[in-house]
Amino acid sequence: MRMRATVAAVSGALALSALAVPAAQAGDRAVPVLDKPTAAEVFGTGARAPFAASRAVVTEPVISKVVVNGGKDIVVGTTAAKKITVSVTASHPSGISDGYVDLWHGSNPETDIDGWVVANEDAATCTNSSATTATCRLTITIVPGEDLYKNALAGTWHVTAGALARDESSFAWNDYQAKARIQRLSKVTVNATPEPVRKGKTLTVTGKLSRANWETGTYKGYSAQAVKLQFRKKNSSTYTTVKTIKSNSTGVLKTTVKASVDGYWRYSFAGTSTTPAVTAAGDYVDVK
């Protein structure tokens, strides 16, 4: 695709320019409006746009499926780039020669985009399942602190999908083809004390729930979140929930329980739309 390398370069430049906006201005204008390409720019002017006047004689490709990251949420930490696979399945009487997928965040692809990630490749790798249908695959690399330059980008993104007919008579294009979620990687710790502890005595279980802060490149406590304290007996394989507590203003978790038998204690967080579920490894306590 002739435009794709240019699109990627422009996207990166705009993301970097957004980082240069002073903090005092960030709340007013977090990023300049991103200029997404049109289908003609991506597939080239040789492809006939499916305008109303030509609908009677031009058959557009039909997009039947789009898959982003294997259908799973995209979880991104503080420093490591996240590379995902995306695909678009489409059909046309002449077959499909190319496909396109990008992800964008905002309310309108022409006037309100504050986040945008595009394919790494100039052209998709398309595999035919029949003479008329193909699945075209691409990869997208998402960089925290650059593509994800503000925490408000966590949550639901729109998925644009496009497909080009093999005879280049027409293309399909939809900026609202699907949705995907990009989340801030979460962590949770646990520590039960004292170890060992006498039976019937008080056990204090502490920990911390935190998540990636894309603006600082660090992990910050996730406050006011419901977290389950769970216990597993020494010779059991099943955890049961003992109680549910909330993280404090800095993400700290702390509660007390009575020690009864040997076993493992852990904290488990169910996740939110912006943050994935996470569970700590069990901390073993010997009860005397």
Side-chain angles (χ1 to χ4, degrees), residues 16-62:
L16 289 174
S17 71
L19 292 174
V21 176
Q25 299 177 18
D28 299 326
R29 193 186 73 176
V31 64
V33 174
L34 303 185
D35 186 16
K36 271 173 61 64
T38 64
E41 289 173 324
V42 171
F43 292 125
T45 55
R48 291 180 58 192
F51 298 130
S54 62
R55 287 185 188 277
V57 294
V58 175
T59 300
E60 302 171 25
V62 175

Side-chain angles (χ1 to χ4, degrees), residues 170-187:
S170 61
F171 51 72
W173 186 266
N174 187 353
D175 281 312
Y176 299 90
Q177 183 69 42
K179 292 182 178 180
R181 286 203 308 191
I182 300 181
Q183 297 180 311
R184 298 161 63 180
L185 179 63
S186 56
K187 296 181 178 182

